[in-house]
């Protein structure tokens, strides 16, 4: 009789341990995950094209220079919501950003809601940066990489994504 009780006790201990480990794995996998995509050389924003300063005064029929933007798309590919707290950009000498030359936290233009914003699972938040200004700073500081850092509620570190911004010829 005690053999059966020992067998059941061991079986229950093993099963409860497996369930405990599974709950930890499930909890880790249910966290929000942000996917950041940076698209330089974009010209359309909210369905409109902006011209460079002074271009609107050119006579009709002349070629007008459009204003380029860097579009940043933040997508929550995780299973739970995250609150985006801050976004900043830096001009760096490498994609990992070992030497930061310039950091700005107020130069972005959000598509819909300003920060902070709750980003549900599967939703997207967009903002833009003035590429003309980024290129100018890049040439002055000799830093060819543009990186975006995003801070949200489920991590202590900034989520960083970088891209090389070159003048479009």
């Amino acid at each position: 009789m005690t053999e059966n009780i020992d067998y059941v006790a061991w079986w229950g201990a093993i099963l409860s341990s497996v369930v405990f480990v599974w709950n930890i794995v499930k909890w880790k996998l249910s966290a929000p995950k942000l996917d950041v995509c940076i698209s330089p050389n974009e010209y359309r924003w909210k369905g409109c094209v902006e011209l460079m300063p002074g271009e609107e005064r050119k006579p009709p029929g002349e070629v007008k220079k459009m204003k380029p933007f860097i579009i940043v798309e933040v997508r929550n590919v995780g299973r739970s919501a995250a609150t985006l707290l801050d976004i900043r950009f830096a001009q760096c000498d490498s994609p990992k950003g070992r030497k930061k030359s310039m950091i700005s936290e107020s130069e972005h233009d959000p598509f819909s809601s300003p920060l902070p914003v709750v980003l549900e699972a599967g939703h997207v938040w967009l903002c833009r940066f003035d590429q003309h200004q980024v290129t100018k700073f890049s040439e002055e500081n000799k830093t060819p990489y543009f990186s975006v850092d995003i801070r949200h509620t489920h991590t202590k570190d900034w989520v960083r994504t970088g891209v090389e911004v070159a003048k479009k010829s």
Side-chain angles (χ1 to χ4, degrees):
M1 182 75 170
T2 58
E3 295 171 5
N4 288 341
I5 292 175
D6 288 343
Y7 175 73
V8 170
W10 275 104
W11 186 81
I14 292 170
L15 182 63
S16 65
S17 297
V18 168
V19 168
F20 178 71
V21 169
W22 174 250
N23 281 337
I24 291 174
V25 168
K26 190 170 71 167
W27 172 74
K28 278 298 239 182
L29 293 176
S30 69
K33 293 175 186 69
L34 299 183
D35 181 34
V36 181
C37 179
I38 302 174
S39 304
N41 301 317
E42 295 288 333
Y43 295 96
R44 292 180 99 30
W45 180 252
K46 297 182 182 179
C48 298
V49 174
E50 290 184 32
L51 300 175
M52 293 295 286
E55 294 290 314
E56 61 273 348
R57 291 187 296 248
K58 284 187 174 179
E62 251 188 71
V63 178
K64 297 178 181 180
K65 190 173 179 185
M66 296 182 293
K67 187 175 185 178
F69 295 103
I70 297 174
I71 306 292
V72 177
E73 176 183 301
V74 182
R75 182 182 307 272
N76 184 355
V77 294
R79 293 184 182 171
S80 61
T83 302
L84 300 181
L85 300 172
D86 288 321
I87 184 170
R88 67 182 184 193
F89 79 91
Q91 305 251 183
C92 310
D93 63 341
S94 68
K96 298 287 184 190
R98 300 288 179 222
K99 176 188 135 199
K100 293 183 196 120
S101 294
M102 185 196 79
I103 291 181
S104 175
E105 295 187 18
S106 61
E107 298 294 326
H108 70 281
D109 177 22
F111 184 78
S112 55
S113 338
L115 295 177
V117 64
V118 176
L119 194 61
E120 296 291 334
H123 288 197
V124 175
W125 183 80
L126 296 167
C127 73
R128 73 175 180 176
F129 293 92
D130 183 359
Q131 185 169 336
H132 184 69
Q133 185 179 13
V134 168
T135 306
K136 184 177 94 177
F137 289 139
S138 176
E139 289 169 356
E140 288 173 2
N141 299 320
K142 296 179 179 44
T143 51
Y145 290 94
F146 174 84
S147 71
V148 172
D149 301 334
I150 295 175
R151 190 168 61 94
H152 63 95
T153 51
H154 291 274
T155 184
K156 294 177 187 174
D157 299 325
W158 292 79
V159 176
R160 170 169 283 190
T161 303
V163 67
E164 186 171 4
V165 177
K167 272 191 148 175
K168 194 173 183 180
S169 34

